[in-house]
Amino acid sequence: MVAAVNPDMFVGAVVDRIQNALYQRVHGFKRRQLVVLTKAVVLYARHQKNIRRSIVVLVCIGLLSRLRQMIKLTTSQRKLTDAKSGGPRQKAQLDRQFFENMQRLVGIAIPGLLSKEFGMLVAHTVLLVFRTFLSVVVATLDGQIVSSLVRLRGREFLVGIAKWMGMAVPATLTNSLLGYVQTMLAIRFRQNLTEHVHAKYLANNTYYA
């Protein structure tokens, strides 16, 4: 005697088996992804300095290649211009006359050590140094955050994130002040040079052609 098989029970058993097989495959795939991600984070934490140096080297190589292409393009355009004008133009040289002209321009743009321009230049330099210090601190915090994440230390990770977010305030202020001081310096330099030209060549409505 062969027992009768319930079709509904048979179909249900087959569906359960298929679902279990799919779940095991998907679960195993997610687990493999997590293992690969963990290994990648650990590898980055161990070789962080070398990876950053490699990235810097690659960026420098790319910039040098781009600069070389720009130099070739500029040279070809200059040759074409010289051919149209009938001869090469006189090139600027770093000679004594160049440095004397630069000294005159600096003397006009910055009247003295007690002038506003010199003070703004000093402030700009101080802000640049402070931004470099902030960059070093942020890089150190990045390393600490990655290290605490790899070692599964949640408290250190949260503290590092809080410090990193706190550094955003002085970094933002420093960048804004740098942009403001740089813009004001450019305005003051242009104003001093324009006033010098007006006082020397355009005084009393006298024009020289």
Short mmCIF file of all heavy atoms in Angstrom, two decimals, residues 144-208:
data_model
loop_
_atom_site.label_atom_id
_atom_site.label_comp_id
_atom_site.label_asym_id
_atom_site.label_seq_id
_atom_site.Cartn_x
_atom_site.Cartn_y
_atom_site.Cartn_z
N GLN A 144 43.38 57.98 14.64
CA GLN A 144 42.82 57.47 15.89
C GLN A 144 41.41 56.90 15.70
O GLN A 144 41.06 55.87 16.28
CB GLN A 144 42.79 58.58 16.94
CG GLN A 144 44.18 59.04 17.39
CD GLN A 144 44.11 60.20 18.36
OE1 GLN A 144 43.03 60.70 18.66
NE2 GLN A 144 45.27 60.64 18.84
N ILE A 145 40.60 57.56 14.87
CA ILE A 145 39.25 57.08 14.62
C ILE A 145 39.27 55.72 13.91
O ILE A 145 38.55 54.79 14.27
CB ILE A 145 38.46 58.12 13.80
CG1 ILE A 145 38.18 59.36 14.66
CG2 ILE A 145 37.15 57.54 13.29
CD1 ILE A 145 37.59 60.51 13.89
N VAL A 146 40.13 55.60 12.90
CA VAL A 146 40.23 54.33 12.18
C VAL A 146 40.75 53.23 13.10
O VAL A 146 40.26 52.09 13.09
CB VAL A 146 41.14 54.49 10.95
CG1 VAL A 146 41.40 53.14 10.29
CG2 VAL A 146 40.51 55.44 9.94
N SER A 147 41.72 53.56 13.95
CA SER A 147 42.27 52.57 14.88
C SER A 147 41.23 52.09 15.87
O SER A 147 41.10 50.89 16.15
CB SER A 147 43.47 53.18 15.62
OG SER A 147 43.99 52.27 16.56
N SER A 148 40.44 53.02 16.45
CA SER A 148 39.40 52.62 17.39
C SER A 148 38.30 51.82 16.70
O SER A 148 37.71 50.92 17.29
CB SER A 148 38.80 53.87 18.05
OG SER A 148 38.22 54.73 17.08
N LEU A 149 38.01 52.12 15.42
CA LEU A 149 37.01 51.36 14.68
C LEU A 149 37.48 49.93 14.43
O LEU A 149 36.70 48.97 14.55
CB LEU A 149 36.70 52.06 13.36
CG LEU A 149 35.65 51.40 12.46
CD1 LEU A 149 34.30 51.36 13.16
CD2 LEU A 149 35.53 52.15 11.14
N VAL A 150 38.75 49.77 14.11
CA VAL A 150 39.28 48.42 13.87
C VAL A 150 39.30 47.60 15.14
O VAL A 150 38.97 46.40 15.15
CB VAL A 150 40.69 48.52 13.25
CG1 VAL A 150 41.35 47.15 13.17
CG2 VAL A 150 40.61 49.15 11.86
N ARG A 151 39.65 48.23 16.26
CA ARG A 151 39.72 47.51 17.53
C ARG A 151 38.37 47.41 18.24
O ARG A 151 38.30 46.91 19.36
CB ARG A 151 40.73 48.21 18.45
CG ARG A 151 42.18 48.05 17.99
CD ARG A 151 43.15 48.74 18.92
NE ARG A 151 42.96 50.19 18.90
CZ ARG A 151 43.65 51.03 19.67
NH1 ARG A 151 44.55 50.57 20.52
NH2 ARG A 151 43.44 52.33 19.59
N LEU A 152 37.30 47.91 17.57
CA LEU A 152 35.93 47.81 18.10
C LEU A 152 35.80 48.47 19.46
O LEU A 152 35.17 47.94 20.38
CB LEU A 152 35.49 46.34 18.18
CG LEU A 152 35.45 45.58 16.84
CD1 LEU A 152 35.04 44.15 17.06
CD2 LEU A 152 34.53 46.28 15.85
N ARG A 153 36.37 49.64 19.61
CA ARG A 153 36.25 50.42 20.83
C ARG A 153 35.29 51.57 20.56
O ARG A 153 35.67 52.62 20.04
CB ARG A 153 37.62 50.93 21.28
CG ARG A 153 38.59 49.81 21.67
CD ARG A 153 39.89 50.35 22.19
NE ARG A 153 40.79 49.28 22.61
CZ ARG A 153 42.02 49.48 23.09
NH1 ARG A 153 42.48 50.72 23.21
NH2 ARG A 153 42.78 48.46 23.45
N GLY A 154 34.05 51.33 20.90
CA GLY A 154 33.00 52.29 20.57
C GLY A 154 33.15 53.63 21.26
O GLY A 154 32.90 54.68 20.66
N ARG A 155 33.58 53.62 22.52
CA ARG A 155 33.70 54.87 23.26
C ARG A 155 34.80 55.75 22.65
O ARG A 155 34.59 56.96 22.44
CB ARG A 155 34.00 54.58 24.72
CG ARG A 155 34.04 55.81 25.60
CD ARG A 155 34.23 55.43 27.06
NE ARG A 155 34.24 56.62 27.90
CZ ARG A 155 34.42 56.59 29.23
NH1 ARG A 155 34.57 55.41 29.84
NH2 ARG A 155 34.42 57.71 29.91
N GLU A 156 35.94 55.14 22.35
CA GLU A 156 37.02 55.92 21.73
C GLU A 156 36.60 56.43 20.36
O GLU A 156 36.96 57.55 19.96
CB GLU A 156 38.28 55.06 21.62
CG GLU A 156 38.93 54.72 22.96
CD GLU A 156 40.21 53.94 22.77
OE1 GLU A 156 40.62 53.75 21.60
OE2 GLU A 156 40.80 53.52 23.78
N PHE A 157 35.85 55.61 19.63
CA PHE A 157 35.37 56.03 18.31
C PHE A 157 34.46 57.25 18.41
O PHE A 157 34.62 58.22 17.65
CB PHE A 157 34.64 54.86 17.65
CG PHE A 157 34.04 55.20 16.32
CD1 PHE A 157 34.83 55.31 15.20
CD2 PHE A 157 32.67 55.43 16.21
CE1 PHE A 157 34.27 55.63 13.97
CE2 PHE A 157 32.10 55.75 15.00
CZ PHE A 157 32.90 55.85 13.87
N LEU A 158 33.51 57.22 19.35
CA LEU A 158 32.60 58.36 19.50
C LEU A 158 33.33 59.61 19.98
O LEU A 158 33.04 60.73 19.53
CB LEU A 158 31.49 57.99 20.49
CG LEU A 158 30.52 56.88 20.03
CD1 LEU A 158 29.53 56.56 21.13
CD2 LEU A 158 29.79 57.32 18.75
N VAL A 159 34.30 59.42 20.89
CA VAL A 159 35.09 60.57 21.36
C VAL A 159 35.89 61.17 20.20
O VAL A 159 35.98 62.40 20.05
CB VAL A 159 36.01 60.15 22.51
CG1 VAL A 159 36.98 61.27 22.86
CG2 VAL A 159 35.19 59.78 23.75
N GLY A 160 36.46 60.30 19.37
CA GLY A 160 37.21 60.80 18.21
C GLY A 160 36.33 61.55 17.23
O GLY A 160 36.73 62.59 16.69
N ILE A 161 35.12 61.02 17.00
CA ILE A 161 34.18 61.71 16.10
C ILE A 161 33.80 63.07 16.66
O ILE A 161 33.71 64.07 15.93
CB ILE A 161 32.93 60.84 15.87
CG1 ILE A 161 33.27 59.60 15.05
CG2 ILE A 161 31.84 61.63 15.19
CD1 ILE A 161 33.68 59.89 13.63
N ALA A 162 33.58 63.13 17.98
CA ALA A 162 33.22 64.41 18.62
C ALA A 162 34.37 65.43 18.47
O ALA A 162 34.14 66.61 18.18
CB ALA A 162 32.87 64.19 20.08
N LYS A 163 35.61 64.96 18.71
CA LYS A 163 36.76 65.86 18.55
C LYS A 163 36.88 66.33 17.10
O LYS A 163 37.18 67.50 16.83
CB LYS A 163 38.03 65.16 18.99
CG LYS A 163 38.13 64.92 20.49
CD LYS A 163 39.45 64.24 20.83
CE LYS A 163 39.57 64.01 22.33
NZ LYS A 163 40.84 63.33 22.69
N TRP A 164 36.67 65.39 16.17
CA TRP A 164 36.80 65.73 14.76
C TRP A 164 35.75 66.77 14.36
O TRP A 164 36.05 67.70 13.61
CB TRP A 164 36.63 64.46 13.94
CG TRP A 164 36.95 64.62 12.49
CD1 TRP A 164 38.17 64.57 11.90
CD2 TRP A 164 36.00 64.86 11.44
NE1 TRP A 164 38.06 64.76 10.56
CE2 TRP A 164 36.73 64.95 10.24
CE3 TRP A 164 34.62 65.01 11.41
CZ2 TRP A 164 36.12 65.17 9.01
CZ3 TRP A 164 34.01 65.24 10.19
CH2 TRP A 164 34.77 65.31 9.01
N MET A 165 34.52 66.63 14.88
CA MET A 165 33.48 67.62 14.59
C MET A 165 33.78 68.95 15.27
O MET A 165 33.47 70.01 14.73
CB MET A 165 32.12 67.08 15.04
CG MET A 165 31.64 65.87 14.25
SD MET A 165 30.06 65.21 14.84
CE MET A 165 28.97 66.58 14.47
N GLY A 166 34.41 68.88 16.46
CA GLY A 166 34.78 70.13 17.13
C GLY A 166 35.86 70.90 16.38
O GLY A 166 35.89 72.14 16.44
N MET A 167 36.73 70.18 15.65
CA MET A 167 37.78 70.86 14.89
C MET A 167 37.21 71.59 13.68
O MET A 167 37.90 72.42 13.08
CB MET A 167 38.81 69.84 14.42
CG MET A 167 39.64 69.22 15.55
SD MET A 167 40.61 70.44 16.45
CE MET A 167 41.67 71.02 15.15
N ALA A 168 35.96 71.29 13.31
CA ALA A 168 35.38 71.95 12.14
C ALA A 168 35.17 73.44 12.38
O ALA A 168 35.24 74.24 11.45
CB ALA A 168 34.05 71.28 11.77
N VAL A 169 34.92 73.83 13.63
CA VAL A 169 34.65 75.25 13.93
C VAL A 169 35.89 76.12 13.70
O VAL A 169 35.85 77.08 12.91
CB VAL A 169 34.12 75.41 15.36
CG1 VAL A 169 33.91 76.87 15.70
CG2 VAL A 169 32.81 74.63 15.54
N PRO A 170 37.05 75.82 14.35
CA PRO A 170 38.23 76.66 14.06
C PRO A 170 38.73 76.52 12.62
O PRO A 170 39.25 77.48 12.05
CB PRO A 170 39.28 76.14 15.06
CG PRO A 170 38.82 74.78 15.44
CD PRO A 170 37.33 74.82 15.39
N ALA A 171 38.55 75.33 12.02
CA ALA A 171 38.99 75.17 10.63
C ALA A 171 38.17 76.06 9.69
O ALA A 171 38.72 76.71 8.79
CB ALA A 171 38.86 73.70 10.22
N THR A 172 36.86 76.12 9.90
CA THR A 172 36.01 76.96 9.06
C THR A 172 36.33 78.43 9.25
O THR A 172 36.41 79.20 8.27
CB THR A 172 34.53 76.69 9.39
OG1 THR A 172 34.24 75.30 9.24
CG2 THR A 172 33.62 77.50 8.49
N LEU A 173 36.51 78.84 10.51
CA LEU A 173 36.86 80.24 10.77
C LEU A 173 38.20 80.61 10.15
O LEU A 173 38.36 81.69 9.58
CB LEU A 173 36.89 80.49 12.28
CG LEU A 173 35.53 80.44 13.01
CD1 LEU A 173 35.73 80.60 14.51
CD2 LEU A 173 34.62 81.55 12.48
N THR A 174 39.17 79.69 10.25
CA THR A 174 40.49 79.97 9.70
C THR A 174 40.44 80.12 8.18
O THR A 174 41.03 81.05 7.61
CB THR A 174 41.46 78.84 10.07
OG1 THR A 174 41.50 78.71 11.50
CG2 THR A 174 42.85 79.14 9.56
N ASN A 175 39.71 79.23 7.50
CA ASN A 175 39.60 79.33 6.05
C ASN A 175 38.87 80.61 5.62
O ASN A 175 39.25 81.26 4.64
CB ASN A 175 38.87 78.10 5.50
CG ASN A 175 39.70 76.85 5.58
OD1 ASN A 175 40.92 76.89 5.48
ND2 ASN A 175 39.06 75.71 5.77
N SER A 176 37.84 80.97 6.37
CA SER A 176 37.11 82.20 6.04
C SER A 176 37.99 83.43 6.24
O SER A 176 38.01 84.34 5.40
CB SER A 176 35.85 82.30 6.90
OG SER A 176 34.99 81.20 6.68
N LEU A 177 38.72 83.46 7.36
CA LEU A 177 39.61 84.59 7.60
C LEU A 177 40.73 84.66 6.57
O LEU A 177 41.13 85.75 6.14
CB LEU A 177 40.21 84.48 9.01
CG LEU A 177 39.26 84.82 10.17
CD1 LEU A 177 39.93 84.52 11.51
CD2 LEU A 177 38.86 86.29 10.11
N LEU A 178 41.24 83.51 6.15
CA LEU A 178 42.28 83.50 5.12
C LEU A 178 41.76 84.10 3.82
O LEU A 178 42.43 84.93 3.19
CB LEU A 178 42.75 82.07 4.88
CG LEU A 178 43.96 81.59 5.69
CD1 LEU A 178 44.21 80.11 5.46
CD2 LEU A 178 45.20 82.40 5.33
N GLY A 179 40.56 83.70 3.41
CA GLY A 179 39.99 84.27 2.19
C GLY A 179 39.75 85.76 2.31
O GLY A 179 40.02 86.52 1.37
N TYR A 180 39.27 86.21 3.47
CA TYR A 180 38.99 87.64 3.67
C TYR A 180 40.29 88.45 3.65
O TYR A 180 40.37 89.49 2.96
CB TYR A 180 38.27 87.83 5.00
CG TYR A 180 38.07 89.28 5.39
CD1 TYR A 180 37.09 90.05 4.77
CD2 TYR A 180 38.87 89.87 6.36
CE1 TYR A 180 36.92 91.38 5.12
CE2 TYR A 180 38.70 91.19 6.72
CZ TYR A 180 37.72 91.95 6.10
OH TYR A 180 37.56 93.26 6.44
N VAL A 181 41.30 88.00 4.40
CA VAL A 181 42.57 88.73 4.45
C VAL A 181 43.23 88.76 3.08
O VAL A 181 43.80 89.78 2.66
CB VAL A 181 43.50 88.10 5.51
CG1 VAL A 181 44.87 88.74 5.46
CG2 VAL A 181 42.91 88.28 6.90
N GLN A 182 43.17 87.65 2.35
CA GLN A 182 43.78 87.61 1.03
C GLN A 182 43.08 88.58 0.08
O GLN A 182 43.74 89.29 -0.69
CB GLN A 182 43.70 86.19 0.48
CG GLN A 182 44.46 85.97 -0.81
CD GLN A 182 44.51 84.51 -1.20
OE1 GLN A 182 44.11 83.65 -0.43
NE2 GLN A 182 44.99 84.24 -2.39
N THR A 183 41.76 88.64 0.14
CA THR A 183 41.02 89.57 -0.70
C THR A 183 41.34 91.02 -0.34
O THR A 183 41.55 91.87 -1.22
CB THR A 183 39.51 89.32 -0.57
OG1 THR A 183 39.23 87.95 -0.92
CG2 THR A 183 38.73 90.23 -1.49
N MET A 184 41.38 91.32 0.95
CA MET A 184 41.70 92.69 1.38
C MET A 184 43.12 93.09 1.00
O MET A 184 43.38 94.24 0.62
CB MET A 184 41.51 92.80 2.89
CG MET A 184 40.06 92.67 3.35
SD MET A 184 38.97 93.93 2.61
CE MET A 184 39.69 95.43 3.27
N LEU A 185 44.06 92.14 1.09
CA LEU A 185 45.43 92.43 0.67
C LEU A 185 45.48 92.77 -0.82
O LEU A 185 46.16 93.73 -1.22
CB LEU A 185 46.32 91.22 0.96
CG LEU A 185 47.08 91.23 2.28
CD1 LEU A 185 47.84 89.92 2.45
CD2 LEU A 185 48.03 92.40 2.37
N ALA A 186 44.78 92.01 -1.64
CA ALA A 186 44.77 92.29 -3.07
C ALA A 186 44.18 93.67 -3.37
O ALA A 186 44.69 94.42 -4.20
CB ALA A 186 43.99 91.19 -3.80
N ILE A 187 43.10 94.02 -2.65
CA ILE A 187 42.49 95.34 -2.84
C ILE A 187 43.44 96.45 -2.44
O ILE A 187 43.60 97.45 -3.15
CB ILE A 187 41.16 95.42 -2.06
CG1 ILE A 187 40.14 94.46 -2.65
CG2 ILE A 187 40.63 96.85 -2.06
CD1 ILE A 187 38.85 94.38 -1.85
N ARG A 188 44.11 96.28 -1.29
CA ARG A 188 45.04 97.32 -0.83
C ARG A 188 46.23 97.46 -1.77
O ARG A 188 46.67 98.59 -2.06
CB ARG A 188 45.52 96.98 0.57
CG ARG A 188 44.45 97.03 1.65
CD ARG A 188 43.95 98.44 1.87
NE ARG A 188 45.01 99.35 2.29
CZ ARG A 188 44.84 100.64 2.50
NH1 ARG A 188 43.65 101.20 2.32
NH2 ARG A 188 45.85 101.40 2.90
N PHE A 189 46.74 96.35 -2.28
CA PHE A 189 47.87 96.42 -3.21
C PHE A 189 47.47 97.14 -4.49
O PHE A 189 48.20 98.02 -4.97
CB PHE A 189 48.37 95.01 -3.53
CG PHE A 189 49.13 94.36 -2.41
CD1 PHE A 189 49.45 93.01 -2.46
CD2 PHE A 189 49.53 95.09 -1.30
CE1 PHE A 189 50.15 92.40 -1.43
CE2 PHE A 189 50.23 94.49 -0.25
CZ PHE A 189 50.54 93.14 -0.32
N ARG A 190 46.31 96.78 -5.03
CA ARG A 190 45.85 97.46 -6.25
C ARG A 190 45.59 98.94 -6.00
O ARG A 190 45.89 99.79 -6.85
CB ARG A 190 44.58 96.77 -6.78
CG ARG A 190 44.82 95.43 -7.42
CD ARG A 190 43.62 95.01 -8.27
NE ARG A 190 42.43 94.85 -7.47
CZ ARG A 190 42.03 93.68 -6.94
NH1 ARG A 190 42.75 92.60 -7.15
NH2 ARG A 190 40.93 93.61 -6.23
N GLN A 191 45.04 99.26 -4.83
CA GLN A 191 44.76 100.66 -4.52
C GLN A 191 46.06 101.47 -4.41
O GLN A 191 46.15 102.58 -4.95
CB GLN A 191 43.98 100.74 -3.21
CG GLN A 191 43.61 102.16 -2.81
CD GLN A 191 42.81 102.20 -1.52
OE1 GLN A 191 42.47 101.16 -0.96
NE2 GLN A 191 42.52 103.39 -1.05
N ASN A 192 47.06 100.92 -3.74
CA ASN A 192 48.33 101.64 -3.60
C ASN A 192 49.02 101.83 -4.95
O ASN A 192 49.56 102.91 -5.24
CB ASN A 192 49.26 100.88 -2.65
CG ASN A 192 48.76 100.91 -1.22
OD1 ASN A 192 47.95 101.76 -0.85
ND2 ASN A 192 49.21 99.98 -0.40
N LEU A 193 49.00 100.79 -5.79
CA LEU A 193 49.64 100.91 -7.10
C LEU A 193 48.88 101.91 -7.98
O LEU A 193 49.51 102.72 -8.69
CB LEU A 193 49.67 99.53 -7.78
CG LEU A 193 50.61 98.51 -7.15
CD1 LEU A 193 50.42 97.15 -7.79
CD2 LEU A 193 52.06 98.95 -7.29
N THR A 194 47.55 101.90 -7.92
CA THR A 194 46.76 102.84 -8.73
C THR A 194 46.98 104.28 -8.27
O THR A 194 47.15 105.19 -9.09
CB THR A 194 45.27 102.48 -8.63
OG1 THR A 194 45.09 101.13 -9.05
CG2 THR A 194 44.44 103.39 -9.52
N GLU A 195 47.01 104.49 -6.95
CA GLU A 195 47.25 105.85 -6.44
C GLU A 195 48.64 106.33 -6.80
O GLU A 195 48.83 107.52 -7.10
CB GLU A 195 47.07 105.85 -4.92
CG GLU A 195 45.61 105.68 -4.47
CD GLU A 195 45.48 105.63 -2.97
OE1 GLU A 195 46.53 105.61 -2.29
OE2 GLU A 195 44.34 105.62 -2.47
N HIS A 196 49.62 105.44 -6.79
CA HIS A 196 50.97 105.85 -7.19
C HIS A 196 51.02 106.26 -8.65
O HIS A 196 51.65 107.27 -9.01
CB HIS A 196 51.94 104.69 -6.94
CG HIS A 196 53.35 104.99 -7.36
ND1 HIS A 196 54.21 105.77 -6.62
CD2 HIS A 196 54.05 104.62 -8.48
CE1 HIS A 196 55.37 105.87 -7.24
NE2 HIS A 196 55.30 105.18 -8.37
N VAL A 197 50.34 105.48 -9.52
CA VAL A 197 50.33 105.83 -10.94
C VAL A 197 49.61 107.16 -11.16
O VAL A 197 50.08 108.02 -11.93
CB VAL A 197 49.65 104.69 -11.74
CG1 VAL A 197 49.41 105.13 -13.18
CG2 VAL A 197 50.51 103.45 -11.71
N HIS A 198 48.49 107.37 -10.47
CA HIS A 198 47.76 108.63 -10.62
C HIS A 198 48.59 109.81 -10.12
O HIS A 198 48.61 110.87 -10.75
CB HIS A 198 46.44 108.56 -9.84
CG HIS A 198 45.35 107.90 -10.62
ND1 HIS A 198 44.44 108.60 -11.37
CD2 HIS A 198 45.02 106.59 -10.76
CE1 HIS A 198 43.58 107.77 -11.94
NE2 HIS A 198 43.92 106.53 -11.58
N ALA A 199 49.27 109.64 -8.99
CA ALA A 199 50.05 110.75 -8.43
C ALA A 199 51.25 111.08 -9.29
O ALA A 199 51.67 112.24 -9.37
CB ALA A 199 50.51 110.38 -7.02
N LYS A 200 51.83 110.08 -9.97
CA LYS A 200 53.06 110.33 -10.72
C LYS A 200 52.80 110.74 -12.17
O LYS A 200 53.50 111.61 -12.71
CB LYS A 200 53.93 109.08 -10.70
CG LYS A 200 55.32 109.31 -11.27
CD LYS A 200 56.23 108.13 -11.01
CE LYS A 200 57.64 108.41 -11.49
NZ LYS A 200 58.55 107.28 -11.21
N TYR A 201 51.80 110.13 -12.80
CA TYR A 201 51.61 110.37 -14.22
C TYR A 201 50.34 111.14 -14.56
O TYR A 201 50.22 111.68 -15.66
CB TYR A 201 51.58 109.03 -14.98
CG TYR A 201 52.85 108.25 -14.87
CD1 TYR A 201 52.94 107.14 -14.02
CD2 TYR A 201 53.98 108.62 -15.59
CE1 TYR A 201 54.11 106.42 -13.90
CE2 TYR A 201 55.16 107.91 -15.48
CZ TYR A 201 55.22 106.81 -14.64
OH TYR A 201 56.39 106.11 -14.53
N LEU A 202 49.37 111.16 -13.65
CA LEU A 202 48.09 111.80 -13.97
C LEU A 202 47.78 112.98 -13.05
O LEU A 202 46.62 113.35 -12.90
CB LEU A 202 46.96 110.77 -13.88
CG LEU A 202 47.13 109.52 -14.76
CD1 LEU A 202 45.99 108.55 -14.53
CD2 LEU A 202 47.22 109.90 -16.23
N ALA A 203 48.80 113.55 -12.42
CA ALA A 203 48.58 114.70 -11.53
C ALA A 203 48.23 115.92 -12.37
O ALA A 203 48.81 116.17 -13.44
CB ALA A 203 49.82 114.96 -10.69
N ASN A 204 47.29 116.74 -11.87
CA ASN A 204 46.87 118.00 -12.50
C ASN A 204 46.38 117.74 -13.95
O ASN A 204 46.59 118.55 -14.85
CB ASN A 204 48.01 119.02 -12.52
CG ASN A 204 48.43 119.37 -11.12
OD1 ASN A 204 47.62 119.49 -10.21
ND2 ASN A 204 49.75 119.56 -10.95
N ASN A 205 45.72 116.59 -14.13
CA ASN A 205 45.15 116.26 -15.45
C ASN A 205 46.18 116.26 -16.56
O ASN A 205 45.92 116.70 -17.69
CB ASN A 205 44.01 117.21 -15.80
CG ASN A 205 42.83 117.04 -14.85
OD1 ASN A 205 42.55 115.95 -14.38
ND2 ASN A 205 42.16 118.15 -14.57
N THR A 206 47.40 115.87 -16.25
CA THR A 206 48.46 115.81 -17.24
C THR A 206 48.62 114.35 -17.68
O THR A 206 48.84 113.47 -16.85
CB THR A 206 49.79 116.32 -16.68
OG1 THR A 206 49.59 117.67 -16.24
CG2 THR A 206 50.88 116.28 -17.73
N TYR A 207 48.50 114.12 -18.97
CA TYR A 207 48.56 112.77 -19.49
C TYR A 207 49.79 112.64 -20.40
O TYR A 207 50.14 113.57 -21.12
CB TYR A 207 47.29 112.42 -20.28
CG TYR A 207 46.04 112.47 -19.43
CD1 TYR A 207 45.32 113.66 -19.33
CD2 TYR A 207 45.61 111.36 -18.72
CE1 TYR A 207 44.16 113.73 -18.55
CE2 TYR A 207 44.47 111.42 -17.95
CZ TYR A 207 43.75 112.61 -17.86
OH TYR A 207 42.64 112.67 -17.08
N TYR A 208 50.41 111.50 -20.34
CA TYR A 208 51.57 111.21 -21.18
C TYR A 208 51.21 110.06 -22.11
O TYR A 208 50.74 109.01 -21.69
CB TYR A 208 52.79 110.84 -20.34
CG TYR A 208 53.23 111.93 -19.41
CD1 TYR A 208 52.72 112.04 -18.12
CD2 TYR A 208 54.15 112.89 -19.83
CE1 TYR A 208 53.12 113.05 -17.26
CE2 TYR A 208 54.56 113.92 -18.98
CZ TYR A 208 54.04 113.99 -17.71
OH TYR A 208 54.43 115.00 -16.86
#
